[in-house]
C-alpha cells in the first residue's frame, strides 16, 4: 500500500524535534555539543562529567544542572 505524507505536518513534526534536541539551548542543533550532551546523559554522566570540555558560554542551558533538569524532563516525560 502507498501512504501519502502531508508535507506541512512532517515539517512541523521535524521542527518540534529540532527544538527538543537543542539540548544546550543555543538555537542550533549541533552534533558536537547537543549529541555529546545527550549521549553523556544517557550513559549516566552527571555534574562536571556531563559538560566537561564543552563550550557552553553562549548557551541558554550552560551548566550541568540546567542540562540535567531539561533532559530529565524530556526523557521522563509522560506525553
Amino acid at each position: 500500500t502507498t501512504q501519502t505524507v502531508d508535507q506541512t505536518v512532517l515539517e512541523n513534526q521535524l521542527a518540534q524535534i529540532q527544538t527538543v534536541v537543542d539540548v544546550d539551548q543555543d538555537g542550533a542543533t549541533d552534533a558536537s555539543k547537543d549529541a555529546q550532551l545527550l549521549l553523556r546523559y544517557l550513559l549516566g554522566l552527571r555534574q562536571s562529567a556531563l559538560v566537561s570540555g564543552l563550550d557552553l558560554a553562549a548557551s541558554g542551558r550552560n551548566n550541568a544542572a540546567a542540562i540535567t533538569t531539561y533532559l530529565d524532563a524530556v526523557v521522563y516525560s509522560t506525553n
Side-chain angles (χ1 to χ4, degrees):
T1 60
T2 303
Q3 292 182 332
T4 54
V5 176
D6 183 329
Q7 185 173 351
T8 303
V9 171
L10 180 59
E11 288 173 355
N12 289 337
Q13 289 172 334
L14 290 173
Q16 289 174 354
I17 291 169
Q18 189 171 10
T19 301
V20 170
V21 297
D22 182 13
V23 175
D24 66 338
Q25 198 179 30
D26 66 352
T29 51
D30 181 14
S32 67
K33 285 193 298 183
D34 297 312
Q36 280 191 60
L37 288 165
L38 180 57
L39 180 60
R40 290 177 184 185
Y41 173 87
L42 293 173
L43 289 171
L45 300 175
R46 299 294 186 273
Q47 299 175 351
S48 63
L50 179 64
V51 297
S52 179
L54 299 176
D55 180 10
L56 300 174
S59 302
R61 294 183 199 95
N62 57 11
N63 60 63
I67 291 167
T68 299
T69 298
Y70 173 71
L71 288 174
D72 282 348
V74 170
V75 170
Y76 299 109
S77 172
T78 59
N79 293 336

